[in-house]
């Protein structure tokens, strides 16, 4: 029971190694291996949830000494294998396993070189779960970087015609983000002391120690009690900005988002699903877990900037989606828009806003998975993603159309689906912020609501062009027959639809998990932020 | 008693799910049975509650039922619970009663359509959301219903999705409604920020602590009214409703006349306490309602599509309801909403029967003389027309008269404009009636050959609605005519608090009231006579040649070019902006910066590589220079 998180990470990791040992000719063995691994994870996750106590802080904590180097007068270098889950990471781990399962089903048929593919898939799985569970910055960073590698190859080898351009763009963008994060990590390492270390100076990567201002070694670069100023900002502000933009690339936030549409368009369906549903969440996760708690005063200082970027992402993403000719590209931009809401909730610094942000992360994970599978259903049949090449599919593929309606309307924020709850909470928070903590003005929330109108516009327009009218297919699709959903596709889409519906109608169980986290988060942010901030 | 409440919305929801999941395995007969049955069950249960409320002892004026705790986070707490008070009970009776009749009618109307099952699925889903809207005991549940009916409206307007014009209409309806919805949700959020709760009971009791004219309440009420403007098709968000006539006619009757479009009226009546606290917003409501009533009535005069005339008439009548609400006469607004639900549903269904009989012809210039062919439709349509024109003792007379009496007490200008709008109504309605039913038939021989009266499933609902349009007004007979206004008494607990805030209403004395009544009825008869002499005696038929129309006529015929203006001012710039973002900002600007950075680094590393010459002397020189630079910079810092 105590090592359950380790098992969640180890199972796919071992699976990945096992895949390397199987002969490549055993093609169907690899997918079974992957499926068994994810199923085991799912069972373990159910055990995890049923033993989790809502509101009990970090649980299932595992802490083992990982690296401990005595550096003499420079103190001790200490990094731990330190895992734990709280009300934010638990839902995200659940989301990760669920989406991985869907992605596995999605990769069931027709993958070339399944040995390499499923081995990378399992490695990615371990890295994603590990990132959500790590509480040591160095450990997090290792998992974080380990996601980059399999993703690069999954896009670059199994992708579409411009896959190399897309995968290198993806790699360089995220590498830039990683470097920004790395710089701050080293700065923090130099500045933070482990209070449990007996007497001597112990440099640590423990994130929880980093969030406590009393653990900073005096006169170090990030010491909050002795502000070092570099140019226009203090060193801590710089550090926050580095982390913020580092994670914002992953989120992705306009204008750091252009890797996303290219990566999505070139990636195969299951890779797109993982990319949108999980990898984008790591960006927001990093802000919630690292950037905000460690630099609360800088986070408060820059909340208007964060909110402005959020609003720009929401509107720009939605408007660009409206102009997209490619279905997958449209969905990719809708992700940019939807993740902007997460940022807005975060910037509000209210319990409602932060709860909504986490809720929206889970909801977007489910909905983006659904949307990309929908795009994949068509692409599998025709090899064509251009919206204008389809019309009148509603009559031809009625079950598919029903799923499209659910996914599209849920993404528009229709009540009774998960997206509505998340966005409502975020708007409540953003609206309340000015009166409650003075961080951001209501007008930003009001402008952001325009995103909901644009969102309705591009989704409805896509429905009208592709599904309504008389049946006709053109372009690459012209010679294809379009049968309705097969069982495997129903097996993917139906559970996703059910989950978004349940989270939309009965959100309380999930909110009960998230809410204690959000309360602590906001209390820490406002309390520590105000103490540390020189002018608030 | 309260336990029954949960079953009322549940019945149509189950109907929807049942038909949805069993889809192909159900015959049309079973589909009709389940769909109509579900609404009928809801109607019976609503009636039980309604009569219980009617006979309830003083002070026990509502039933509540909580299904489960819905959302709790931070200070935000809201439960999934229903409130049945006189206001929601009245709405529920209309929704399930008229809804049931329209379901029955649809069985005949849609019988030969391929999408028969889909149609009843959507219709049941609509009833479910509409019930949620009026039964929710908090703003969030109302909003869920509000969005849900918008979704059903979208699906049903575009029901015949092979026609892209219909889909345009559906999309337009949804997006225009969305604009209103944003106002509504912002209003709800502002209510939460202000009152710390979004339950009706908490909000209204706390609202008493605010002074009349408080700024925050004014903002709240304006934002909520934006929602009502969208949903109830008022200026400037009304253009979706005439286009929404693309949907099957029963949909126009149910959603776009009797129920959904009156959601805005319900919402303001529900929030009467807040609105009474904000006289400024009430003025806005009156002005918008009045402008819409007149504006839409003028457009209706020049339309030749039978459903378009009725659509503009609906917009105009909804405007009158808002006038009543704006004057603080909340009961009057609800009264007119109820009678309008009867006669407008009747008129739409009658129009459907005409269209059905005329092989899908909707142009009144090609009709005429249908009295002989469609006797039941003719009689019932006449009843509807008399009711909307306000001829006593038909339903519309009482409710419209009450609005005008309130207007007169408030301001002569409001009265005059309202009276003109209602006189125009009687003119265009009789123009429609005469062109359709009297004279000679102007259809082609082939169509003429097929004209037939509709089946019983269609004519029986027409007859029931005709009876309701005839007697519906008697629930609100004014004192001056010896009545006791039963509806007023029934609804009074809902409006008690705002009556207290507003203080004494000035009443007209009975003689003035009688004179006004006589005047308006007399002028209405004159209007009918004018219509008669133009369209029956002179047998004038509107021309199809637009060029021959006068400038004013052409302006009205083209609906004041509002659609074109919106297109130029809003839609096109938005698409242009999105194109600019996509092709200029995205592809030219950002991507070039990104790719440029990559190229610059490649170039930089190629250049820097050349520094590694392998010449030891050069390395030593570089080292010495670096050390000097370091030392110098150190001494400066």
């Amino acid at each position: 029971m105590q090592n359950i998180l380790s098992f969640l990470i180890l199972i796919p990791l071992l699976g990945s190694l096992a895949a390397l040992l199987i002969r490549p000719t055993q093609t169907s063995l690899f997918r079974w291996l992957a499926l068994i691994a994810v199923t085991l994870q799912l069972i373990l996750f159910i055990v995890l949830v049923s033993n989790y106590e809502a509101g009990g802080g970090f649980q299932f904590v595992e802490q083992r000494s990982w690296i401990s180097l005595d550096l003499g007068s420079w103190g001790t270098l200490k990094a731990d294998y330190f895992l734990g889950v709280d009300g934010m990471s638990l839902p995200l781990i659940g989301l990760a396993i669920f989406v991985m399962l869907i992605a596995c089903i999605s990769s069931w048929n027709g993958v070339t070189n399944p040995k390499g593919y499923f081995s990378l898939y399992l490695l990615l799985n371990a890295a994603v779960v590990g990132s959500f569970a790590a509480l040591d910055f160095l450990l997090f960073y290792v998992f974080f970087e380990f996601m980059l590698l399999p993703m690069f190859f999954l896009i670059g080898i199994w992708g579409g015609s411009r896959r190399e351009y897309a995968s290198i763009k993806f790699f360089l963008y995220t590498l830039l983000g990683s470097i920004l994060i790395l710089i701050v990590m080293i700065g923090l390492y130099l500045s933070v002391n482990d209070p449990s270390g007996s007497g001597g100076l112990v440099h640590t990567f423990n994130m929880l120690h980093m969030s406590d201002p009393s653990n900073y070694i005096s006169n170090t670069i990030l010491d909050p009690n002795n502000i070092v100023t570099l140019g226009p900002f203090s060193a801590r502000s710089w550090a926050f900005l580095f982390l913020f933009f580092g994670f914002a690339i992953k989120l992705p936030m306009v204008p750091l988002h252009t890797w996303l549409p290219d990566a999505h368009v070139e990636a195969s369906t299951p890779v797109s699903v993982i990319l949108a549903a999980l990898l984008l969440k790591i960006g927001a996760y990093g802000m919630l877990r690292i950037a905000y708690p460690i630099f609360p005063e800088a986070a408060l200082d820059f909340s208007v900037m964060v909110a402005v970027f959020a609003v720009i992402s929401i509107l720009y993403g939605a408007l660009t989606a409206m102009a997209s000719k490619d279905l997958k590209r449209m969905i990719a931009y809708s992700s940019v828009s939807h993740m902007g809401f997460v940022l807005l909730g975060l910037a509000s610094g209210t319990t409602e806003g932060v709860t909504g942000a986490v809720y929206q992360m889970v909801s977007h994970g489910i909905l983006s998975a659904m949307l990309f599978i929908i795009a994949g259903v068509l692409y599998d049949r025709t090899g064509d993603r251009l919206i204008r090449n389809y019309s009148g599919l509603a009559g031809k593929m009625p079950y598919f159309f029903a799923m499209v309606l659910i996914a599209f309307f849920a993404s528009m924020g229709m009540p009774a689906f998960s997206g509505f709850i998340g966005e409502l909470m975020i708007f409540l928070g953003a609206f309340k912020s000015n009166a409650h903590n003075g961080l951001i003005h209501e007008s930003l929330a009001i402008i952001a609501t325009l995103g909901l109108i644009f969102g309705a516009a591009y989704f409805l327009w896509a429905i009208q062009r592709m599904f309504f009218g008389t049946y006709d297919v053109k372009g690459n699709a012209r010679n294809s027959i379009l049968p309705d959903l097969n069982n495997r596709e129903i097996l993917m889409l139906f559970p996703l639809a059910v989950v978004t519906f349940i989270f939309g109608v009965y959100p309380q169980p999930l909110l009960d998990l998230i809410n204690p986290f959000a309360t602590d988060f906001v209390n820490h942010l406002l309390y520590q932020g105000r103490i540390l901030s020189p002018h608030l | 008693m309260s336990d029954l409440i949960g079953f009322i919305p549940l019945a149509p929801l189950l109907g929807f799910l049942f038909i949805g999941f069993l889809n192909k395995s159900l015959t049309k007969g079973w589909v009709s049975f389940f769909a109509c049955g579900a609404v009928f069950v809801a109607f019976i249960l609503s009636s039980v509650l309604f009569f219980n409320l009617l006979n309830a002892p003083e002070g026990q004026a509502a039933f509540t039922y909580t299904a489960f705790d819905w959302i709790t986070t931070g200070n935000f707490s809201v439960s999934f619970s229903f409130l049945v008070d006189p206001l929601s009970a009245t709405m529920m009776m209309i929704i399930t009663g008229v809804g049931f009749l329209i379901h029955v009618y649809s069985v005949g109307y849609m019988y030969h359509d391929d999408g028969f099952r889909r149609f009843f699925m959507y219709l049941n889903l609509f009833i479910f959301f509409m019930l949620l809207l009026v039964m929710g005991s908090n703003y969030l549940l109302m909003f869920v219903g509000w969005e849900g009916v918008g979704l059903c409206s979208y699906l049903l307007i575009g029901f015949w999705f092979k026609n892209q014009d219909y889909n345009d209409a559906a999309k337009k309806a949804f997006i225009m409604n969305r604009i209103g919805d944003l106002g509504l949700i912002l209003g709800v959020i502002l209510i939460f920020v202000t009152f710390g709760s979004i339950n009706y009971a908490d909000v209204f009791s706390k609202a008493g602590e605010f002074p009349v004219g408080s700024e925050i309440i004014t903002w709240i009420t304006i934002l909520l009214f934006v929602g009502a403007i969208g949903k109830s098709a008022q200026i400037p968000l009304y253009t979706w409703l005439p286009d929404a006539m693309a949907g099957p006619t029963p949909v126009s009757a149910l959603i776009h006349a009797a129920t959904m479009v009156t959601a805005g009226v319900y919402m303001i009546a529900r929030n009467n306490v807040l609105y009474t606290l904000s006289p400024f917003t009430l003025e806005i409501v009156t002005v918008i309602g009045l402008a819409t009533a007149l504006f839409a009535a003028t457009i209706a005069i020049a339309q030749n599509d039978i459903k378009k005339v009725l659509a503009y008439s609906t917009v105009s009548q909804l405007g009158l309801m808002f006038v009543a609400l704006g004057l603080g006469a909340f009961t009057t607004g609800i009264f007119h909403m109820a009678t309008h639900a009867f006669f407008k549903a009747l008129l739409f269904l009658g129009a459907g029967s005409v269209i059905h009989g005329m092989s899908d012809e909707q142009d009144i210039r090609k009709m005429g003389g249908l009295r002989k062919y469609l006797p039941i439709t003719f009689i019932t349509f006449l009843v509807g027309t008399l009711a909307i024109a306000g001829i006593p003792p038909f339903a519309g007379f009482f409710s419209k008269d009450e609005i005008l009496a309130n207007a007169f007490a408030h301001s002569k200008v409001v009265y005059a404009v309202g009276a003109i709008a209602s006189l125009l109504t009687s003119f265009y309605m009789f123009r429609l009636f005469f062109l359709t039913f009297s004279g000679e038939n102007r259809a082609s021989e082939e169509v003429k050959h097929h004209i037939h009266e509709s089946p019983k499933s269609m004519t029986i609902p027409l007859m029931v609605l005709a009876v309701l349009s005839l007697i519906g007004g008697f629930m609100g007979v004014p004192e001056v005519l010896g009545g006791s206004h039963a509806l007023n008494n029934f609804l009074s607990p809902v409006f008690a608090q705002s009556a207290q805030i507003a203080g004494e209403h000035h009443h007209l004395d009975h003689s003035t009231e009688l004179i006004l009544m006589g005047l308006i009825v007399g002028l209405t008869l004159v209007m009918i006579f004018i219509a008669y002499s133009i369209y029956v005696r002179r047998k004038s038929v509107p021309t199809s040649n637009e060029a021959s129309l006068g400038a004013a006529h052409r302006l009205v015929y083209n609906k004041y070019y509002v659609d074109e203006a919106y297109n130029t001012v809003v839609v096109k710039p938005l698409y242009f902006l999105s194109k600019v973002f996509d092709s200029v900002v995205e592809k030219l600007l950002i991507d070039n910066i990104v790719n440029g950075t990559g190229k610059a680094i490649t170039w930089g590393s190629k250049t820097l590589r050349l520094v590694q010459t392998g010449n030891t002397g050069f390395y030593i020189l570089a080292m010495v220079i670096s050390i000097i630079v370091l030392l110098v910079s150190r001494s400066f810092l």
Side-chain angles (χ1 to χ4, degrees):
Chain A
M1 183 62 66
Q2 259 321 307
N3 299 328
I4 198 161
L5 287 174
S6 289
F7 278 111
L8 278 179
I9 301 168
L10 267 177
I11 290 168
L13 205 58
L14 291 175
S16 174
L17 292 176
L20 296 178
L21 301 177
I22 302 173
R23 244 183 289 154
T25 45
Q26 305 278 78
T27 46
S28 66
L29 213 57
F30 297 102
R31 61 192 190 196
W32 281 106
L33 182 73
L35 184 66
I36 291 167
V38 190
T39 314
L40 279 176
Q41 278 181 299
L42 190 63
I43 295 167
L44 277 184
F45 179 73
I46 292 167
V47 176
L48 186 72
V49 169
S50 48
N51 286 290
Y52 182 86
E53 192 189 325
F58 284 104
Q59 292 166 47
F60 302 95
V61 174
E62 292 173 45
Q63 191 165 16
R64 291 190 195 82
S65 184
W66 178 28
I67 305 169
S68 186
L69 272 181
D70 191 353
L71 301 174
S73 64
W74 293 40
T76 308
L77 185 158
K78 193 165 177 300
D80 285 346
Y81 176 78
F82 184 20
L83 304 175
V85 286
D86 65 356
M88 167 180 62
S89 44
L90 187 71
L92 290 174
I93 290 175
L95 174 75
I97 294 169
F98 181 52
V99 168
M100 282 292 175
L101 181 63
I102 301 284
C104 179
I105 301 171
S106 171
S107 330
W108 204 247
N109 291 327
V111 173
T112 53
N113 185 8
K115 177 172 178 166
Y117 180 88
F118 282 105
S119 167
L120 287 169
Y121 158 88
L122 285 165
L123 186 62
L124 182 62
N125 180 336
V128 170
V129 177
S131 310
F132 286 139
L135 293 179
D136 185 279
F137 204 156
L138 187 62
L139 187 64
F140 171 82
Y141 193 76
V142 169
F143 283 128
F144 186 78
E145 289 298 291
F146 252 94
M147 291 187 309
L148 200 55
L149 197 74
M151 208 60 202
F152 173 73
F153 288 114
L154 285 172
I155 298 172
I157 299 177
W158 285 270
S161 52
R162 288 175 76 224
R163 56 181 181 258
E164 277 158 19
Y165 170 75
S167 67
I168 288 176
K169 199 169 172 184
F170 165 77
F171 192 82
L172 290 179
Y173 250 115
T174 34
L175 195 67
L176 174 68
S178 302
I179 289 167
L180 293 174
I181 296 164
L182 180 68
I183 293 169
V184 180
M185 184 173 81
I186 293 169
L188 280 167
Y189 162 76
L190 291 172
S191 309
V192 178
N193 175 41
D194 185 347
S196 60
S198 47
L201 197 56
V202 180
H203 291 291
T204 178
F205 286 99
N206 186 321
M207 289 184 204
L208 306 183
H209 291 330
M210 289 174 174
S211 317
D212 183 349
S214 63
N215 289 334
Y216 282 78
I217 304 159
S218 48
N219 295 325
T220 48
I221 184 147
L222 295 176
D223 178 12
N225 302 311
N226 182 19
I227 307 275
V228 182
T229 308
L230 300 166
F233 304 122
S234 72
R236 280 177 65 84
S237 295
W238 280 113
F240 173 78
L241 289 175
F242 275 30
L243 284 180
F244 176 76
F245 285 107
F247 287 121
I249 288 175
K250 264 272 191 303
L251 191 67
M253 179 186 85
V254 176
L256 305 172
H257 66 286
T258 59
W259 63 271
L260 182 84
D262 286 317
H264 270 309
V265 168
E266 298 310 322
S268 63
T269 304
V271 177
S272 270
V273 167
I274 296 173
L275 184 60
L278 302 179
L279 264 61
L280 308 189
K281 305 302 167 296
I282 309 273
Y285 177 83
M287 292 185 190
L288 282 157
R289 180 68 86 220
I290 300 170
Y292 269 67
I294 296 180
F295 301 105
E297 82 286 14
L300 295 185
D301 266 357
F302 289 111
S303 50
V304 173
M305 178 198 81
V306 175
V308 169
F309 272 119
V311 173
I312 292 174
S313 294
I314 292 168
L315 299 184
Y316 183 92
L319 279 171
T320 319
M322 213 186 290
S324 300
K325 299 180 181 77
D326 179 312
L327 180 63
K328 240 180 157 182
R329 213 178 171 83
M330 184 194 93
I331 297 170
Y333 282 114
S334 89
S335 284
V336 174
S337 185
H338 283 133
M339 291 307 286
F341 284 107
V342 174
L343 216 49
L344 184 63
L346 193 55
S348 78
T350 56
T351 312
E352 288 86 352
V354 173
T355 308
V358 179
Y359 207 94
Q360 172 82 346
M361 284 160 75
V362 176
S363 161
H364 177 259
I366 296 159
L367 290 173
S368 60
M370 212 173 160
L371 291 171
F372 279 112
I373 289 172
I374 282 168
V377 165
L378 281 182
Y379 190 72
D380 286 349
R381 282 164 177 66
T382 62
D384 197 325
R385 285 183 309 256
L386 289 181
I387 294 173
R388 65 160 179 268
N389 285 342
Y390 296 92
S391 96
L393 296 180
K396 182 84 175 167
M397 304 168 78
Y399 286 100
F400 179 54
F401 180 55
M403 288 298 160
V404 170
L405 276 185
I406 292 174
F408 279 21
F409 276 91
S411 299
M412 282 179 225
M414 179 58 62
F417 296 108
S418 56
F420 171 68
I421 306 286
E423 283 166 20
L424 175 74
M425 294 280 132
I426 288 165
F427 280 122
L428 276 175
F431 221 81
K432 193 175 137 176
S433 169
N434 197 16
H436 190 68
N437 54 29
L439 289 183
I440 59 172
H441 196 260
E442 292 94 337
S443 56
L444 285 164
I446 295 172
I447 298 170
T449 55
L450 286 177
L452 295 180
I453 298 179
F454 301 157
Y458 65 77
F459 276 120
L460 292 184
W461 202 26
I463 289 182
Q464 183 181 359
R465 286 180 291 173
M466 300 183 73
F467 291 91
F468 292 157
T470 46
Y471 173 70
D472 185 23
V473 282
K474 296 189 281 277
N476 286 345
R478 74 185 167 277
N479 294 324
S480 330
I481 35 168
L482 287 137
D484 208 342
L485 295 178
N486 61 33
N487 289 336
R488 187 173 58 89
E489 288 158 347
I490 290 172
L491 193 63
M492 293 186 285
L493 287 171
F494 192 68
L496 288 166
V498 170
V499 171
T500 179
F501 180 71
I502 290 174
F503 284 156
V505 174
Y506 193 52
Q508 200 54 47
L510 186 51
L511 287 174
D512 282 339
L513 284 178
I514 301 170
N515 203 26
F517 160 77
T519 312
D520 293 347
F521 177 90
V522 169
N523 286 343
H524 174 82
L525 179 71
L526 295 178
Y527 177 74
Q528 291 292 1
R530 288 200 170 124
I531 288 180
L532 297 178
S533 177
H535 48 259
L536 271 176
Chain B
M1 188 57 54
S2 296
D3 302 338
L4 286 179
I5 294 174
F7 290 102
I8 297 173
L10 193 63
L13 180 65
L14 288 177
F16 160 73
L17 292 174
F18 200 73
I19 301 169
F21 278 105
L22 292 180
N23 211 326
K24 293 274 155 58
S25 47
L26 287 176
T27 63
K28 285 185 178 179
W30 283 111
V31 170
S32 343
F33 175 77
F34 284 117
C36 300
V39 183
F40 189 66
V41 168
F43 174 65
I44 294 295
L45 294 175
S46 303
S47 314
V48 171
L49 285 167
F50 182 81
F51 286 107
N52 261 289
L53 277 177
L54 208 55
N55 300 323
E58 210 42 46
Q60 204 235 323
F63 300 106
T64 53
Y65 172 78
T66 303
F68 53 86
D69 284 338
W70 193 15
I71 306 174
T72 309
T73 170
N75 310 326
F76 184 79
S77 165
V78 57
S79 62
F80 204 94
S81 59
F82 300 122
L83 165 75
V84 178
D85 67 349
L87 178 60
S88 39
T90 311
M91 294 295 295
M92 285 155 66
M93 290 301 282
I94 294 171
I95 294 161
T96 54
V98 176
F100 172 68
L101 292 173
I102 293 172
H103 270 71
V104 172
Y105 177 94
S106 306
V107 173
Y109 192 83
M110 299 298 289
Y111 204 80
H112 299 292
D113 198 284
D114 293 337
F116 188 78
R117 294 176 184 84
R118 193 162 52 94
F119 184 79
F120 279 99
M121 262 173 77
Y122 293 164
L123 225 50
N124 264 353
L125 188 66
F126 170 78
I127 298 280
F128 164 71
F129 277 123
M130 194 66 212
L131 286 170
L132 223 52
L133 197 165
V134 298
M135 292 173 68
S137 75
N138 55 61
Y139 288 94
L140 197 59
L141 211 48
M142 179 187 75
F143 186 75
V144 171
W146 191 276
E147 289 278 282
V149 292
L151 168 68
C152 297
S153 162
Y154 166 80
L155 292 170
L156 284 163
I157 294 169
F159 184 76
W160 288 309
F161 58 74
K162 288 195 173 143
N163 183 332
Q164 287 289 20
D165 290 340
Y166 294 1
N167 299 325
D168 283 334
K171 191 176 64 182
K172 181 173 171 184
F174 193 85
I175 290 174
M176 285 207 139
N177 268 295
R178 243 238 152 175
I179 297 170
D181 295 353
L182 289 186
L184 179 64
I185 194 73
L186 286 174
V188 172
I189 290 174
L190 194 54
I191 285 174
F192 171 67
V193 175
T194 311
F195 296 99
S197 169
I198 56 165
N199 296 317
Y200 293 146
D202 301 340
V203 172
F204 299 150
S205 68
K206 282 187 193 150
E209 298 160 14
F210 287 78
V212 173
S214 124
E215 193 183 341
I216 193 83
I217 305 267
T218 305
W219 278 112
I220 289 172
T221 46
I222 287 177
L223 285 169
L224 293 180
F225 183 53
V226 171
I229 286 176
K231 192 113 288 179
S232 297
Q234 297 296 293
I235 291 173
L237 298 177
Y238 69 95
T239 60
W240 66 270
L241 185 59
D243 286 14
M245 295 301 120
T249 308
V251 171
S252 313
L254 178 63
I255 301 184
H256 305 118
T259 55
M260 184 187 84
V261 289
T262 61
V265 178
Y266 162 77
M267 194 262 290
I268 290 182
R270 173 58 75 205
N271 287 292
N272 60 79
V273 178
L274 299 182
Y275 277 88
T276 311
L277 284 172
S278 173
F280 177 68
T281 317
L282 284 180
E283 293 288 332
I284 295 178
V285 174
T286 313
V287 170
I288 297 254
L290 208 54
T292 311
L294 185 66
F295 188 73
T298 57
I299 299 178
I301 292 176
Q303 299 305 306
N304 297 321
D305 179 315
I306 186 168
K307 287 181 73 181
K308 284 269 159 78
V309 177
L310 292 175
Y312 280 106
S313 153
T314 305
V315 174
S316 169
Q317 296 292 316
L318 287 166
L320 283 181
M321 293 174 213
F322 281 104
V323 172
L325 298 173
L327 298 171
F330 299 106
T331 325
T332 312
I334 296 294
F335 184 25
H336 195 56
M337 189 208 76
T339 58
H340 177 258
F342 299 148
F343 60 69
K344 192 51 75 60
L346 170 62
L347 289 169
F348 264 116
L349 295 185
S353 177
V354 168
I355 296 165
H356 192 75
M358 292 279 297
S359 315
D360 293 333
E361 181 58 71
Q362 301 198 10
D363 192 332
I364 49 178
R365 288 170 299 196
K366 295 182 182 150
M367 296 179 180
L370 292 178
R371 188 181 48 195
K372 287 181 294 214
Y373 302 93
L374 311 171
I376 302 173
T377 309
F378 163 71
I379 292 288
T380 51
F381 204 92
L382 178 62
V383 172
T385 312
L386 288 168
I388 195 174
I391 300 295
F394 295 93
F397 165 73
F398 295 99
S399 52
K400 197 191 275 183
D401 182 70
E402 205 173 299
I403 294 174
L404 291 176
N406 272 298
F408 191 82
H410 186 81
S411 131
K412 306 287 178 287
V413 179
V414 177
Y415 172 78
V417 179
I420 292 171
S422 87
L423 290 175
L424 287 175
T425 304
S426 44
F427 175 75
Y428 67 69
M429 280 312 298
F430 272 92
R431 167 182 179 269
L432 174 72
F433 177 77
F434 290 137
L435 282 171
T436 310
F437 288 100
S438 70
E440 290 299 309
N441 193 282
R442 297 179 291 275
S444 64
E445 282 306 318
E446 201 195 334
V447 171
K448 214 185 270 183
H449 190 68
H450 284 116
I451 301 178
H452 57 90
E453 182 58 289
S454 302
K456 284 222 169 51
S457 66
M458 287 167 69
T459 49
I460 291 173
L462 284 179
M463 291 186 258
V464 177
L465 283 168
V467 172
L468 287 171
S469 304
L470 180 59
I471 62 167
F474 291 102
M475 64 178 143
V477 179
E479 257 175 66
V480 61
L481 296 178
S484 61
H485 213 303
L487 187 70
N488 218 341
N489 297 334
F490 180 58
L491 289 174
S492 60
V494 181
F495 304 117
Q497 196 183 342
S498 45
Q500 216 171 12
I501 298 167
E504 196 54 38
H505 250 290
H506 28 227
H507 279 287
L508 298 176
D509 54 66
H510 285 180
S511 57
T512 319
E513 219 172 311
L514 280 174
I515 291 168
L516 289 176
M517 236 177 238
L519 180 71
I520 198 82
V521 172
L523 286 172
T524 303
L525 290 172
V526 172
M527 288 316 245
I528 295 172
F529 180 75
I530 295 173
Y532 178 79
S533 51
I534 297 176
Y535 298 106
V536 180
R537 287 242 295 266
R538 276 199 282 155
K539 296 205 172 87
S540 157
V541 175
T543 170
S544 348
N545 181 8
E546 202 193 316
S548 69
L549 300 176
H553 195 159
R554 205 179 319 162
L555 186 67
V556 176
Y557 178 80
N558 286 307
K559 309 154 211 162
Y560 299 99
Y561 299 98
V562 172
D563 274 324
E564 288 76 3
Y566 283 177
N567 225 357
T568 321
V569 177
V570 182
V571 179
K572 282 192 182 147
L574 208 58
Y575 278 130
F576 177 73
L577 192 65
S578 84
K579 289 253 159 56
V580 168
F581 277 175
D582 186 54
S583 42
V584 179
V585 181
E586 189 79 4
K587 302 221 168 80
L588 284 179
L589 189 71
I590 300 181
D591 259 7
N592 272 337
I593 292 174
V594 173
N595 293 338
T597 313
K599 283 196 189 110
I601 290 171
T602 314
W603 177 84
S605 60
K606 270 186 189 152
T607 315
L608 214 59
R609 193 178 50 127
L610 300 178
V611 175
Q612 301 181 27
T613 54
N615 184 336
T616 323
F618 175 75
Y619 288 157
I620 292 173
L621 179 68
M623 204 167 86
V624 171
I625 291 171
S626 310
I627 289 171
I628 291 170
V629 168
L630 277 176
L631 288 176
V632 169
S633 62
R634 202 187 155 85
S635 61
F636 272 108
L637 284 173

